[in-house]
Amino acid sequence: MFYLIHIAIFCAIYGILAISLNLVLGYTGLLSVTQAAFYGLGAYATAILSTRFNLGFGESLLIGIAIVSVVSFLVGLVLSKLAGDYYAVATLGFNVIIVAVMLNWSALTNGPLGIAIFSKTTLFGLDFSSQPAFLALALFLLFLAYGIGYYLKKSSFGRVLKAIREDEKAIQVFGYNTTKYKLVIFVIGAALAAAAGSLFAAYISYVDPSSFATNESIFILSVIILGGLANLEGSILGAIFLVLLPELLRFVGFPEAVAAELRQAVYGLLLVILMLYRPQGLLGEYKL
Amino acid sequence: MSALEIKNLSKRFAGVSALDHLSLSVKGGRLTAIIGPNGSGKTTLINVLTGLLPYESGSIIIGQGESQNKLQAVQIAQQGLTRTFQEVRLFNQMTVLDNILVVLTKRPVQSALFETLKRETQLKAETILKKVELWEKRSELAFNLSYGQRKLLEIARVLAMSSSLVLLDEPFAGLFPQMVKKVSDIIKDMRAAGTTLILIEHNMNLIRELADWVVVLDNGQILAQGPAADVLRRPEVIEAYLGD
């Protein structure tokens, strides 16, 4: 049972991350490969604030979101000068920088050793430290992220985002300052990723830089491409699928000596097959 | 009264002059057609006017605005100028209705974030789509429309903007006669409503039918301008544009 709850919590965390990136890539067309950096900043904010300042989960979550919002605003300003492949490469570079800071600013982050968290997860006076309670908290935050995504998708703002994705020059001709729109959605996406990071840190009770490297950003990208671009339900479905798939492969009777490698190979193969036969993802509304 | 004033506008591509110190005054409320052979600078002029291409020198004054150099596309649109494209540029993976609703959205981000879709906005979109006979297609993705319908949707998007100055870049290109009549009627309605129109077109019959004023471009300069009946008879225009 604990194993299932553990998987469900990770599905919720990756669901939030997938929604956060889908707003940026699926709805706005910005190929961002840096979501793990914001995820990591949120996680480190919670770890540092709870261990050094004895702040509760709620406070560290909010402060983490605020810090990431400011950082992502500044990064977004720089990125606004770029487009297409250059944008993707620059976001990847930002992820590398953040991981390098986590590794090397030892006085703050404890370097590669990471930070262990010993405090309980409390919010509004309620204790969410037990696994079932933490699952409820994770699902609540996932629901909140979905609600924000749904509101944005249905709003006039969301409609402009889609137009930017389709033809940025054309929508500019109609008087929209697309730079501001892109900046706002980039910050919202980063803030949601920070919330997922905060949740991750509180659940695992430990953070280290390896959890937020570029391969994590690529994994989040895979989740939304597989689940479906510009589809919030697809984000959640993709998260469930990609979190469950390696777990399910554990139950396939691979030879002990090569089980891990075979699981990875089969996992990769299944993704390739899915992309070949369903390039828009499981529930996608938009193709890259 | 002048709706658009262009002074000494120059634009070069890799040393080749596309617009060569071009000056032009477009009177408000009438349809000015810009014609000229391929490569004469017609589309470059429209792209420069709408901020999609930068230019080297000169000035553009829209309406009663002050002369400002190097305006961005967004600022130009906010001054009441909009356009259609020679190659139709729709928001393909959005519905026909959303292609109209999106241009009816308030421009500032903070307004768009909290704007709810009002009944009057929906009605305006409905009226426009009915006018171009695309209401039945409102739930289709723009990508799935026929070429003629795509042209109509682009014109509908311009209608939704209610701009005072509209640039139409070959709106009749590739349309069959029935569709040409429909687009022509819409353009006449826009002119009757007082919109200043600049039309780039190669079909001389349509130019004669629609244009109040014709400007002939050649090598990025104005070769001739005046009423259609007069301009299209001039020997230098026939030589440059229509051939011998």
Side-chain angles (χ1 to χ4, degrees), chain A residues 151-152 155-178 180-181 184 188 285-288, chain B residues 50 52 73-74 77-78 81-83 85 89-94 98 101-109 112-115 117 157-158 161:
Chain A
Y151 172 80
L152 291 173
S155 69
S156 301
F157 175 79
R159 212 177 286 120
V160 178
L161 294 184
K162 284 190 205 169
I164 291 171
R165 177 191 75 193
E166 292 301 308
D167 192 334
E168 186 172 356
K169 283 284 176 200
I171 194 68
Q172 283 175 349
V173 163
F174 292 97
Y176 292 91
N177 186 335
T178 55
K180 286 185 182 172
Y181 278 81
V184 168
I188 292 172
E285 293 172 19
Y286 161 66
K287 275 195 276 186
L288 273 176
Chain B
T50 48
L52 293 187
V74 176
Q78 285 165 351
L81 185 152
T82 193
R83 66 172 290 178
F85 294 88
R89 292 175 75 163
L90 296 174
F91 307 124
N92 280 324
Q93 297 188 62
M94 292 170 68
D98 276 349
L101 288 176
V102 74
V103 299
L104 294 172
T105 300
K106 288 176 184 163
R107 268 52 183 171
V109 178
L113 263 171
F114 302 108
E115 186 182 53
L117 191 54
R157 210 167 53 177
V158 160
M161 278 286 284

Side-chain angles (χ1 to χ4, degrees), chain A residues 9-243:
Chain A
I9 290 170
F10 267 93
C11 286
I13 290 172
Y14 280 104
I16 298 170
L17 282 169
I19 288 171
S20 77
L21 182 60
N22 221 339
L23 291 173
V24 177
L25 173 58
Y27 288 98
T28 321
L30 302 172
L31 184 49
S32 171
V33 198
T34 198
Q35 221 60 3
F38 300 125
Y39 175 47
L41 286 174
Y44 265 91
T46 290
I48 293 166
L49 291 168
S50 59
T51 53
R52 295 199 178 187
F53 300 95
N54 285 324
L55 292 183
F57 175 73
E59 293 95 325
S60 65
L61 170 77
L62 292 177
I63 295 172
I65 287 173
I67 291 169
V68 169
S69 298
V70 173
V71 172
S72 60
F73 177 79
L74 297 173
V75 174
L77 275 180
V78 177
L79 292 176
S80 67
K81 301 188 187 310
L82 302 168
D85 299 342
Y86 303 105
Y87 185 94
V89 172
T91 57
L92 201 63
F94 174 70
N95 201 147
V96 172
I97 291 169
I98 289 297
V99 172
V101 171
M102 289 169 180
L103 276 170
N104 295 296
W105 194 359
S106 299
L108 184 71
T109 64
N110 209 22
L113 297 176
I115 302 169
I117 306 163
F118 298 105
S119 56
K120 286 185 169 181
T121 305
T122 56
L123 187 66
F124 307 124
L126 298 170
D127 186 0
F128 289 94
S129 300
S130 73
Q131 246 196 342
F134 200 92
L135 175 61
L137 176 65
L139 290 176
F140 171 71
L141 287 181
L142 173 64
F143 179 74
L144 209 60
Y146 178 85
I148 291 169
Y150 187 81
Y151 172 80
L152 291 173
K153 169 187 158 179
K154 291 287 176 189
S155 69
S156 301
F157 175 79
R159 212 177 286 120
V160 178
L161 294 184
K162 284 190 205 169
I164 291 171
R165 177 191 75 193
E166 292 301 308
D167 192 334
E168 186 172 356
K169 283 284 176 200
I171 194 68
Q172 283 175 349
V173 163
F174 292 97
Y176 292 91
N177 186 335
T178 55
T179 304
K180 286 185 182 172
Y181 278 81
K182 289 192 294 185
L183 195 53
V184 168
I185 199 61
F186 188 72
V187 171
I188 292 172
L192 289 174
S198 195
L199 206 55
F200 171 81
Y203 178 61
I204 298 293
S205 300
Y206 173 73
V207 294
D208 80 315
S210 67
S211 304
F212 313 110
T214 49
N215 58 344
E216 190 68 3
S217 284
I218 292 166
F219 178 76
I220 302 164
L221 190 63
S222 309
V223 168
I224 65 161
I225 291 176
L226 183 123
L229 290 169
N231 188 300
L232 297 174
E233 294 80 10
S235 302
I236 298 169
L237 190 65
I240 294 170
F241 190 85
L242 281 191
V243 170

